[in-house]
Amino acid sequence: MDRYRYFIFNQRNMVVLGLFQIAFSTVCVVGGFVDGIFRTESQLGETRAPIWAGMVMGVPGVLALFSSQRKNPVLVNVLIGASIISCVAILIVIVYSSLTLNYGEEEELSSAPLHVIHTKFVLHKVVKGANVAMLAASLCSAFVVLVMAYLGCRSLPRCSCYDSVTGMVSEGP
């Protein structure tokens, strides 16, 4: 039973962080769908990278919700690993949304009717707004994932701040 005694992170904090992470991943998935539907066809736009990366970004949020309810070190280790993988997915979304802010959207419309020009202008702004939202959500998500990984690392028995006698975090002088 002693091997299951470890400092469990604050449940409320992990629930809040998990919900934020799920919300940020949902913004990336929805932004990826908007980007994929309204973007003019390009090689980079066909990858649908924000949709898949957004789904990967949501995994640590779900694991944070589960690990806040169960005192299981294996679940916390999986949370830390998923947080690292999520950081790679966040980097993919950041690079994608930075590159596609203007990529593939300029097109000559001088001979097009006026309503087509207005429609293209509005869709261009919608796609740009989706990319900005994905960029902001991924930057915030990076912070949340790193905090979750830090709290997870602090709660494990192998952490240097862990006290094996009480199972709690030892306070510094």
Side-chain angles (χ1 to χ4, degrees), residues 45-68:
E46 291 175 1
T47 62
R48 306 296 185 248
I51 297 170
W52 296 108
M55 290 181 188
V56 171
M57 286 167 52
V59 172
V62 172
L63 288 173
L65 294 176
F66 285 131
S67 66
S68 68

Side-chain angles (χ1 to χ4, degrees), residues 20-169:
F20 274 134
Q21 183 63 23
I22 291 171
F24 293 141
S25 102
T26 303
V27 168
C28 285
V29 169
V30 170
F33 277 123
V34 169
D35 185 66
I37 292 171
F38 296 123
R39 175 174 292 286
T40 56
E41 292 303 317
S42 65
Q43 290 294 331
L44 192 59
E46 291 175 1
T47 62
R48 306 296 185 248
I51 297 170
W52 296 108
M55 290 181 188
V56 171
M57 286 167 52
V59 172
V62 172
L63 288 173
L65 294 176
F66 285 131
S67 66
S68 68
Q69 302 301 317
R70 295 181 180 21
K71 292 185 176 185
N72 189 348
V74 175
L75 190 58
V76 176
N77 283 327
V78 171
L79 169 68
I80 294 168
S83 296
I84 293 169
I85 294 170
S86 180
C87 286
V88 174
I90 289 168
L91 183 65
I92 290 170
V93 172
I94 290 173
V95 169
Y96 179 88
S97 60
S98 297
L99 288 176
T100 60
L101 278 174
N102 286 322
Y103 180 72
E105 291 300 317
E106 289 81 23
E107 155 180 342
E108 279 299 318
L109 296 173
S110 59
S111 63
L114 187 61
H115 70 279
V116 172
I117 293 173
H118 288 298
T119 303
K120 292 285 186 180
F121 177 76
V122 169
L123 292 180
H124 173 68
K125 293 299 180 188
V126 167
V127 169
K128 188 177 263 193
N131 282 320
V132 169
M134 285 189 298
L135 186 62
S138 59
L139 290 174
C140 294
S141 178
F143 175 74
V144 169
V145 166
L146 291 175
V147 169
M148 283 192 305
Y150 172 72
L151 290 176
C153 287
R154 283 191 52 149
S155 69
L156 293 174
R158 292 180 296 277
C159 179
S160 62
C161 58
Y162 177 80
D163 184 12
S164 62
V165 176
T166 63
M168 301 296 277
V169 172

